[in-house]
């Protein structure tokens, strides 16, 4: 039996790995540990120090060695040294019995402490926030890094589990092969067990029957002949498995008649292409030969043009921007814009109610860790040549740190657009006036690869004070096997739940939602949210015009007044203002949120996935600042019931006028797949802006200098091109 | 009297100019004519051959001499030689009596003729479409370029006038100074008559009283001390003038108590800045040292990557894209996507019903000529260093041609983004897979400066088959004078109709709408429009899920079924498909229109400006192809009543299934000005996509090569930086 051999082989490899890991952890080799951290020979296959590029292409510096990092800023992430200290505390806490660390990150000091802190001051006490599981219980702990003091927070009232660890995922992937039924059905479907990969998908939550154990639903693929096994689903098999015990709880085994789609034409890798490549002879490159105009001070403080912000990787959110401040040219002072901003939760419901598909309603940040799934970026192609990179230090499931290198890139962008321009008519002025200024921005990028899908997450800072937040979707569409090879075989009334993309492959309709947490602090923490309503007003005979559009401003008093559904024919602008600070002519200073293309969830509000991801009920929300309310889908999103969500917090209807408030924005995409998405999809993007509105006294980029020919780089084509 | 002197002086200068022009036109100097055409010493101050840059920075070619241009393609614009021939015909037609040419352009051959034509074939008969006025009548003429044959088309059933000519505008600007009342009120307001510029604004149309004569409403500004006279309105004066007679019909003279805002701080020119400039030490540049990857064959046929299209400047639309075809890598054949696309009309209603403001409801393409107002682009700053430029040849109001140089730029863009990418988890595959491909596109850009506002109009072609159409707004917000200098002076119930931007300056609320004509021909002319409706569907107990989103496709039978208002909570995709052609798996080939941020008009549908610009009643329209239906606001938009509009054509409700159809898209912006818009506004953008949907068998950019370090340009910093 090939299946049995595969299983034996797999078990053997796993055992060797476990023994190796055990040896490394328990008998650390002080000489080699530095090298291992960087070379990822240690505790995680997800460590990606390979292929690191140098800090700056023109500098001859080595990759940064994180082993001796020390924190410089209250919001700097935990260092390797600090994590190791916390690790010891956790180990002793659980008395060396079985435990898993799901999250080990800095516990941010209280906001007022951070706001008071100045460079040169001693750092506030360093604390770790730890989410762990032991003996079937969730633990939320605060651990003093130096003191070792542990405070346990009661989370017994919150349903769900923390995101799965990478170890959880690796381990559970082998579970199906322990089932004789599973191995038999695979073989009966004509698939070689050596070419089967089962991927762990979160099960959502569909009622109390699913409570009490951590479950995962594995779906399996034929990996033969392609790196793009996603295009070769073994349709109808769902292996419901207990993550903690690795026990197969249920094996759904349907749709045997559906063939496995062929491998031919599915591989997207460069090495797999046989036909001619599309190549433009003269590459266009973003060039900046003397290096960038930004500096990253003390590893995390980014300073560029008129912006300054703290940037850190986070295993759950991915990129975390804090203390974003912009320089006011009029006063020479930096002004607060945003205390903290990050992607808080995702929701990706697939629109197929059948047994093998209904549960696919992913909450990627809370179920998998959005940052945890962000691997090393590919220099030159993920980010342009002038990019610099930032590493992350994350904790493995035993609590030990490892380095995720090149997780974030930072680069300046000039895309050929203007910051502003004007030509004056030569009819009016004596000589032609033609003034134009180049638009240059700073991009912070991370790419999370959630199994098949890739989310390119950009924060783009503009020198006019605008922050553009963009999500780009690419990667691979998850597909469903079908017996059809042509639409003429499909009965008109039959529902496919998607588009026939290729022989035997249906791209299933789905949505993507990304919710952003945006703790705006416009010139201070006490802010208000204003609905600037645009309404038709009738002139009632007082003008040759019948009507015009009038602006009516309303300050939201409580959270429910700030639950906003966007309406094209009943539009508003949405401003976060500081009612205590006005410009010289008396307008309150503010920022507005400017939506672009978005989508709203069409699921029933009482449908379990919609309740869990109820942050998609509105596009905009505003809540009263509460340090514990960060994750729009709940702290423990995995198998959560939806009682710890943005909707629930907002429904408390707390006062939000002239106080510390948080803006939440939900971006959405409906995705009806098309053949162009096969076998890998061209990038689609959407985003929104945070834009100054009467924040500055005047156009802050009026004095940007134009480009002049003799100041631009001197370039020649590469010899090889 | 300073005013009188000014007037005398002005009149003298005008007379000299007129005599000079008359001499030049009637006694052409054959030796100098070439030079004059390029140096703009001839017939139009709007000719912008100055500051031309070379075709290619590395080539030592001279600016293109258009005097001997010949057409190569049925859609090539009329050449100077051809225009001169038509000019002669027109002159003799009107027997040398007074006439004005408002438009003299190629009359496109019939679509079937163009579709049949192949390179090497003789060109179909060249004809000019001429719009002229003589003896108070509009003429729409077809003139055979070689035959001199003239066909007059009856337009007596259409209200309105053709767009004003540049001569109309120049001439009428002096009209107010002939009014003693005007000169007196200016002086009484403390303004030096030598520093007054009156700009001609279209009056809209507000009832029959305004019929029978071509009117313009002049608004005046104090030009002293700033190039940005728009910030110094002489509020409350409106000089209603007859364009044909230059007679002041009515002088509105109100708001004398409102001071003229100060000049200080309003000038945006580089030369006017005294403070420190914002300058990034290391410029980021888009570099392509060996030149671009596109060619422009025969002056108008653009070929880049997998795209080919015909590009020509048009005095009304600006940029006209025709015969856009994309290469299918699977077959090696070019496939039709769009027969023709251009911006058809604009609508910019200001939201103030007061006497000096209510009429400001501009239709810039039809009233002023959107292309006519597009001046020369500023190399390096309007378009990046790697851009190439295209000139226009337009007709002056006597029918003679002149060259508008550098009106359009074309460049390849790499903005640091990916065409697609994927990282495969190292848990599943033996070694890390990380594939990313750079996104490179081709941008065609024009900038129209409609007095104060600048519209950057981009057509961006992507190699995945997507066309992104983008409008960026910048330039100067038109403002209203006020006696207020602080919001604390304003009574809570008082309507400002805008935002106090600076001392004595209110930025008035307004909208911008741009309507695009998109004659999609997906693999042929017979297409259908499909509403791909996304609806909530209940599972009725058949699934643990309560609901999902179902796709319901409906083919629109007639035009009214394709009058589409976008709805966030009742969403659809909108596809133009070829029902006669299917992919291998049987999906009809198509393109979809993908809206991004937009706005809908809030004016009453029966309000005169809304009726005239009723193309803003919906975001999407589809009409049956009709060669004469090109301008969504009507052929003669100036003072039109709204009976020759897209709404009227669509309301005929003609069949649109499986026939030649035109898609129309209206993009919108609400603009509540803010202080950052003073004294010149940072660029804001919105756009929409035409995106292949089951048009290709698979991802057409799968085989795009990644960037490789040693193939990128070799650059060093400029010596001066």
């Amino acid at each position: 039996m090939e299946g049995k051999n595969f299983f034996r082989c797999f078990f053997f490899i796993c055992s060797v790995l476990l023994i190796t890991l055990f040896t490394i952890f328990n008998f650390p080799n002080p000489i080699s540990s530095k090298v291992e951290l960087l070379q990822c020979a240690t505790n995680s296959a997800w460590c990606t120090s390979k292929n690191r590029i140098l800090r700056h292409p023109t500098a001859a510096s080595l990759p940064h060695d994180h082993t001796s990092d020390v924190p410089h800023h209250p919001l700097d992430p935990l260092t390797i040294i600090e994590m190791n200290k916390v690790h010891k505390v956790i180990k002793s806490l659980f008395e060396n019995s079985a435990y898993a660390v799901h999250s080990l990150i800095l516990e941010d000091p209280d906001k007022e402490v951070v706001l008071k802190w100045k460079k040169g001051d001693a750092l506030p006490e360093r604390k770790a926030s730890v989410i762990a599981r032991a003996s079937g219980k969730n633990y939320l702990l605060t651990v003093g890094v130096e003191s070792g003091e542990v405070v346990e927070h009661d989370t017994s009232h919150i349903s769900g589990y923390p995101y799965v660890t990478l170890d959880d995922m690796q381990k559970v992937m082998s579970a199906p092969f322990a089932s004789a039924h599973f191995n038999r059905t695979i073989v009966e479907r004509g698939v070689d067990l050596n070419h089967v990969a089962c991927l762990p998908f979160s099960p959502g939550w569909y009622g109390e029957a699913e409570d009490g154990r951590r479950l995962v639903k594995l779906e399996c693929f034929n990996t033969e002949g392609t790196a793009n096994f996603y295009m070769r689903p073994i349709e109808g098999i769902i292996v419901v498995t207990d993550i903690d015990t690795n026990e197969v709880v249920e094996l759904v085994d349907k749709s045997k008649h559906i063939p496995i789609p062929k491998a031919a034409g599915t591989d997207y890798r460069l090495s797999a292409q046989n036909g001619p490549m599309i190549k433009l002879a003269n590459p266009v490159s973003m060039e900046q030969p003397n290096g960038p105009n930004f500096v990253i001070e003390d590893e995390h403080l980014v300073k560029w043009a008129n912006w300054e912000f703290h940037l850190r990787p986070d295993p759950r959110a991915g990129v975390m921007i804090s203390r974003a401040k912009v320089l006011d040219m009029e006063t020479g002072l930096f002004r607060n814009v945003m205390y903290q901003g990050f992607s808080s939760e995702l929701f990706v419901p697939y629109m197929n109610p059948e047994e093998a598909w209904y549960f696919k309603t992913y909450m990627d940040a809370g179920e998998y860790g959005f940052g945890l799934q962000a691997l090393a970026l590919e220099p030159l192609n993920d980010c342009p040549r002038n990019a610099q990179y930032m590493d992350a230090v994350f904790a493995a499931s035993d609590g030990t740190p490892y380095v995720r290198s090149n997780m974030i890139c930072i680069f300046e962008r000039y895309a050929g657009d203007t910051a502003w321009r004007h030509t004056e008519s030569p009819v009016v002025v004596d000589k032609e006036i033609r003034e134009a200024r180049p638009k240059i921005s700073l991009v912070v990028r991370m790419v999370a690869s959630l199994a098949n899908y890739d989310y390119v997450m950009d924060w783009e800072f503009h020198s006019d004070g605008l922050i553009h937040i963009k999500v780009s979707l690419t990667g691979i569409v998850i597909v469903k096997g079908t017996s059809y090879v042509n639409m003429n075989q499909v009965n008109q009334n039959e529902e496919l739940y998607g588009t026939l993309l290729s022989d035997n492959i249906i791209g299933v309709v789905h949505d993507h939602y990304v919710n952003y947490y945006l703790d705006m602090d416009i010139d201070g923490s006490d802010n208000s949210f204003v609905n600037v309503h645009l309404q038709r007003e009738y002139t009632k005979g007082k003008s040759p015009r019948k009507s015009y559009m009038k602006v009516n401003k309303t300050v939201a008093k409580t959270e429910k007044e700030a639950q906003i559904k966007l309406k094209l024919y009943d539009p508003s602008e949405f401003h976060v203002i500081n009612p205590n600070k006005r410009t010289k002519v008396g307008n309150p200073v503010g920022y507005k949120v400017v939506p672009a293309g978005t989508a709203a969830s069409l699921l029933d509000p009482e449908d379990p996935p919609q309740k869990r991801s109820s942050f998609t009920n509105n596009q905009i929300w505003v809540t009263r600042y509460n340090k514990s309310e960060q994750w729009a889908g709940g702290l423990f999103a995995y198998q959560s019931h939806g009682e710890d969500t943005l909707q629930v917090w907002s429904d408390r209807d707390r006062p939000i006028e002239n106080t510390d408030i948080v803006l939440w924005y939900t971006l959405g995409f409906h995705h009806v797949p098309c053949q162009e998405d096969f076998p890998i999809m061209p990038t689609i993007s959407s985003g929104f802006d945070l834009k100054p509105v009467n924040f500055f006294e005047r156009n802050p980029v009026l004095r940007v200098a134009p480009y002049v020919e003799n100041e631009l780089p001197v370039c020649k084509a590469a010899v090889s091109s």
Side-chain angles (χ1 to χ4, degrees), chain A residues 372-573:
Chain A
L372 218 54
Q373 313 294 331
L375 302 175
L377 294 160
E378 174 76 4
L380 288 191
N381 289 295
D382 269 328
C383 310
R385 198 184 203 180
N386 61 337
Q388 293 202 5
Y389 294 82
M390 183 181 280
D391 301 336
V393 176
F394 288 157
S397 59
D398 68 341
T400 55
Y402 65 92
V403 175
R404 172 75 51 85
S405 68
N406 291 0
M407 178 186 152
I408 296 174
C409 74
I410 305 119
F411 61 93
E412 283 167 279
R413 159 142 64 199
Y414 168 64
D417 293 323
T418 54
W420 58 262
R421 65 99 58 211
H422 184 60
T423 308
E424 196 49 70
S425 150
V427 177
V428 185
V429 290
D430 356 345
K431 55 171 192 165
E432 193 184 25
I433 295 175
R434 193 171 56 190
E435 301 270 342
R437 301 292 181 271
K439 179 183 276 197
I440 300 147
S441 60
L442 183 77
V443 179
V444 173
R445 173 172 296 168
M446 173 204 85
V447 184
S449 296
L450 275 304
N452 52 309
Y453 254 110
D454 294 60
Y455 293 84
V456 184
M457 309 294 285
D458 283 356
W459 287 79
E460 186 170 359
F461 294 83
H462 291 252
S463 49
D464 63 2
L466 183 144
I467 307 175
H468 180 61
I469 300 162
K470 187 168 84 167
V471 176
S472 301
L473 302 176
T474 175
I476 298 161
V477 168
I478 202 86
V479 300
K480 177 172 134 71
T482 174
S483 52
Y484 299 126
V485 297
N486 195 292
M487 284 303 290
N488 61 21
Q489 301 169 316
V490 184
N491 185 305
Q492 217 190 333
N493 295 320
E494 189 180 342
E495 262 196 82
L496 289 188
Y497 307 107
T499 309
L500 191 64
L501 299 185
S502 184
D503 290 359
N504 307 118
I505 293 176
I506 290 170
V508 176
V509 175
H510 57 281
D511 286 346
H512 298 264
Y513 299 95
V514 184
N515 178 271
Y516 282 89
Y517 171 102
L518 304 159
D519 180 4
M520 304 303 288
D521 273 15
I522 307 299
D523 274 329
S525 292
D526 286 347
N527 287 176
S528 292
F529 178 70
V530 185
N531 185 326
V532 180
H533 195 187
L534 306 176
Q535 287 172 292
R536 182 187 301 169
E537 186 82 5
Y538 283 95
T539 58
K540 295 164 192 158
K542 289 180 193 153
S543 166
R545 280 268 279 280
K546 277 193 204 309
S547 60
Y548 65 103
M549 186 176 77
K550 188 179 170 181
V551 175
N552 291 305
K553 299 183 183 181
T554 317
V555 177
K557 304 267 183 239
T558 64
E559 288 171 318
K560 280 191 184 174
E561 287 180 25
Q563 296 181 353
I564 306 291
K565 289 181 170 59
L566 298 174
K567 291 169 193 159
L568 183 61
Y569 280 84
D570 184 18
S572 289
E573 287 191 357

Side-chain angles (χ1 to χ4, degrees), chain A residues 206-254:
Chain A
Y206 292 89
E208 290 171 14
E210 294 176 0
D211 284 345
R213 60 202 304 182
R214 287 206 300 151
L215 297 174
V216 73
K217 295 196 172 182
L218 292 123
E219 190 184 345
C220 305
F221 301 88
N222 186 343
T223 61
E224 194 170 5
T226 182
N228 192 353
F229 54 85
Y230 297 105
M231 290 299 125
R232 309 202 69 197
I234 305 173
E235 193 59 41
I237 298 181
I238 296 295
V239 189
V240 188
T241 307
D242 184 311
I243 304 176
D244 288 317
T245 63
N246 244 19
E247 177 200 344
V248 173
V249 175
E250 188 193 352
L251 178 59
V252 178
D253 182 16
K254 299 210 166 160

